[in-house]
Amino acid sequence: MDNILDDILKNISERAPHTPFSVEFWDETKKQYGRGTEKFKIIFRRESALKKFLSAGTLGFGEEYMAGNIEVAGDMQAMLGLYDHWRDLNRNISPGVKLRVLANAILARAAARDSKKNIKYHYDIGNDFYSLWLDPAMTYSCAYFKNGFDSLEIAQANKHDYICKKLCLRGGEKLLDVGCGWGGMMFHAAKNYGADCVGCTLSQNQYEYISQKIKENNLGAKIKVYLKDYRQVQGVFDKFVSIGMFEHVGKNYYPDFFSMVKKTLKPSGIGVLHTIGSRFGGATDPFIAKYIFPGGFVPTLAMIADAMNKAELVFYDVEDLRMHYAKTLDLWIANFEAAGAEVKNVLAREIKDRIRAEEFIRMWRLYLNGSAVAFKNAGNRLYQITFTNGVNNDLPPTRDYLYS
C-alpha cells in the first residue's frame, strides 16, 4: 500500500517539481518528495486513513481530514494546488464508492422537491456562523476589488454597485433578485439607486434576516422578500439579477430557470447573471458534492450561452472575475481562522455537538482553501453575464459607463 502511494506521489512530484512536500505515517516514518524547503506535509495518523484515501480519492481524503485521521501541516493551498494531480486518484475509486457517489448525486438533483433541502443544507447553518467571517452586509459571493487596498466590506459594496451600473439601474425601476442571499444587493439598489426590489430565497434563515433588516431600515415600501422557489416567481420586472445562485440550479433545469427569466423580465429589459463557471463543466468534486453543495453543477460558458440563446436572451457583455473571487476567498479564510474559537462555539450551539463542530470546521477549512486554489490555478471561473430580453439597441456602446 505504501508503495502504491509512493508511486503516485513520485509522479505528482515529477509533474510539480516546484512544490516540494513530505508525507509522514502513523509509525513516524517520513518520505520527502521534490527538492528544497517543503511547502507542506501530509500526516496519515492511521493506516485506515491511507486505505480510504487510495480507495475513495479526494472524497476519502476529505472525510479522513474531517475526522482528524489526516493532517496537513504548512501551506494547505500549496497541497490543494496539486488538485489536478490528486484528482487522478478519483479515476481509481472503488466500484462501491462510485455507486455511493452516484446515488448521492441522483438523490441531490435540484428538482423542485429537493431544492429547499439542498439550500437548507448549506445556508441554514445559522446566521451567527456566517457573520463571523463574511462582511457586515453578509454577502456570500465574489467581491469586486477596484484596487489592492479595498477591504472586504468595500469590495462587496463595489460589487453591488458594479452590478447596478451594468443593469443601468434607475430610480423607481423594479428589480428582481433571484437567490437573494442575505439581501445585500437589494439593500444597496434600494438605498443608492431608488430601485423597488423583490427577492426570493429558499433559506429560512436568510428570509428572516432580510425581513428583520427591512423593518430596521424602514424599507418596507422598497424591498419585498419571499420564501419561495424561483419557479414560483410572479410579475414583470425592469431588471433582473441573480448572484451566486445559478450553481445550485442543475443542468437539467436550465430551461426552467431561463424560461422564468424570459417570463419575468420585460422586453428589452436588462439582466445580470453572476455565477461560478468552469472550463470543464460538470458535477462538483465528490467531496464538495457530498458535504458542501449537494446537487451543485458548475457550467461552462458555452453551456450557459446555449441555454440563454434557446430562451431568446441576448448576450451583451461577459466578464470573468476569477481573481476577484480568489482574493475574496483568501479574506474569508483569514476571517474564518481569526474567529476560530468563536466559530467553534457558534457551531457547537447550532449543532449541539462539539466533536461534530470540530469536524465541520475542518470541512469548511478544506472547502474554502480548495475553492481559493480552484480560482487561482485550476478550472474555476466567475462570470458576470449582462444580457437583455430580446434585442435592445439602446445600450451604451462602450464600457465607459461602468467606470465613470
Side-chain angles (χ1 to χ4, degrees):
M1 185 169 54
D2 290 0
N3 291 336
I4 296 173
L5 179 67
D6 189 49
D7 288 343
I8 292 170
L9 297 182
K10 282 180 179 177
N11 185 258
I12 289 174
S13 181
E14 288 171 3
R15 288 187 283 175
H18 303 299
T19 309
F21 62 94
S22 66
V23 177
E24 186 175 305
F25 297 92
W26 51 93
D27 60 1
E28 298 186 358
T29 58
K30 182 177 178 179
K31 293 186 177 180
Q32 196 84 28
Y33 299 90
R35 296 179 180 178
T37 304
E38 68 180 34
K39 295 191 175 181
F40 64 88
K41 177 169 66 175
I42 301 173
I43 304 167
F44 291 95
R45 299 203 178 281
R46 298 172 182 268
E47 185 176 8
S48 59
L50 175 57
K51 289 180 178 178
K52 190 167 183 179
F53 177 41
L54 294 175
S55 66
T58 56
L59 174 61
F61 182 93
E63 291 182 335
E64 291 302 302
Y65 177 79
M66 284 170 58
N69 297 327
I70 294 176
E71 295 287 354
V72 179
D75 189 344
M76 177 174 278
Q77 288 195 21
M79 186 272 290
L80 294 168
L82 302 178
Y83 176 76
D84 280 345
H85 309 308
W86 296 123
R87 194 174 56 187
D88 291 344
L89 285 165
N90 290 342
R91 299 184 184 122
N92 301 319
I93 291 176
S94 66
V97 172
K98 286 182 178 178
L99 282 173
R100 290 199 299 276
V101 172
L102 178 61
N104 285 333
I106 293 172
L107 291 173
R109 281 179 180 170
R113 66 182 182 276
D114 293 328
S115 295
K116 191 165 186 176
K117 178 182 69 177
N118 291 343
I119 295 302
K120 180 178 177 63
Y121 186 93
H122 190 92
Y123 294 98
D124 280 348
I125 300 164
N127 293 337
D128 289 346
F129 167 69
Y130 286 101
S131 70
L132 290 172
W133 51 278
L134 296 180
D135 67 298
M138 297 279 282
T139 309
Y140 187 32
S141 55
C142 174
Y144 183 67
F145 298 87
K146 289 185 178 180
N147 60 65
F149 303 103
D150 285 342
S151 67
L152 182 60
E153 180 177 2
I154 289 173
Q156 292 294 9
N158 289 345
K159 184 264 299 294
H160 291 140
D161 205 63
Y162 197 40
I163 290 174
C164 286
K165 288 182 176 181
K166 289 189 174 188
L167 290 168
C168 300
L169 195 61
R170 300 290 182 265
E173 288 188 323
K174 295 175 65 178
L175 171 66
L176 174 62
D177 186 349
V178 169
C180 60
W182 283 273
M185 177 68 201
M186 294 194 295
F187 287 110
H188 187 92
K191 289 180 178 180
N192 296 282
Y193 288 81
D196 296 324
C197 304
V198 173
C200 65
T201 177
L202 287 174
S203 165
Q204 183 71 35
N205 282 356
Q206 290 177 346
Y207 171 76
E208 292 173 359
Y209 179 90
I210 296 170
S211 298
Q212 181 61 35
K213 287 294 181 181
I214 290 172
K215 291 179 182 178
E216 291 175 3
N217 289 274
N218 196 28
L219 286 170
K222 301 296 289 182
I223 301 175
K224 308 292 183 188
V225 63
Y226 297 98
L227 188 65
K228 62 170 59 176
D229 185 87
Y230 67 87
R231 284 159 284 217
Q232 300 171 314
V233 172
Q234 300 292 322
V236 177
F237 299 83
D238 300 291
K239 305 292 167 67
F240 171 92
V241 68
S242 183
I243 303 173
M245 175 269 187
F246 190 69
E247 303 92 312
H248 300 283
V249 169
K251 185 180 180 182
N252 292 339
Y253 301 96
Y254 290 175
D256 291 350
F257 182 87
F258 289 118
S259 175
M260 173 274 300
V261 177
K262 181 74 175 177
K263 180 181 68 175
T264 57
L265 183 59
K266 76 175 188 180
S268 299
I270 304 172
V272 171
L273 180 67
H274 173 115
T275 182
I276 296 173
S278 170
R279 66 187 174 98
F280 304 111
T284 53
D285 176 87
F287 176 77
I288 300 296
K290 181 174 180 179
Y291 288 98
I292 307 296
F293 289 119
F297 183 94
V298 183
T300 64
L301 185 59
M303 291 174 182
I304 300 171
D306 182 59
M308 292 179 73
N309 285 333
K310 288 176 180 175
E312 298 182 338
L313 300 170
V314 180
F315 272 67
Y316 170 58
D317 191 20
V318 182
E319 191 170 5
D320 180 8
L321 301 179
R322 175 177 65 86
M323 288 306 293
H324 290 265
Y325 214 161
K327 183 161 187 172
T328 303
L329 281 153
D330 280 343
L331 290 176
W332 285 345
I333 292 164
N335 290 346
F336 182 84
E337 296 296 352
E342 293 177 87
V343 168
K344 186 177 292 187
N345 290 335
V346 166
L347 287 172
R349 185 169 68 246
E350 289 289 337
I351 58 184
K352 309 294 189 298
D353 184 344
R354 291 194 70 86
I355 295 175
R356 175 78 179 98
E358 180 62 36
E359 289 183 358
F360 192 97
I361 289 170
R362 294 170 72 90
M363 174 183 77
W364 218 255
R365 180 180 294 124
L366 197 60
Y367 152 59
L368 290 173
N369 281 280
S371 296
V373 168
F375 282 101
K376 289 175 183 177
N377 54 22
N380 277 17
R381 307 287 183 260
L382 192 286
Y383 294 123
Q384 276 191 357
I385 302 169
T386 308
F387 62 91
T388 56
N389 184 2
V391 174
N392 182 337
N393 293 330
D394 297 322
L395 296 169
T398 72
R399 280 183 172 173
D400 289 349
Y401 73 108
L402 298 178
Y403 310 117
S404 60

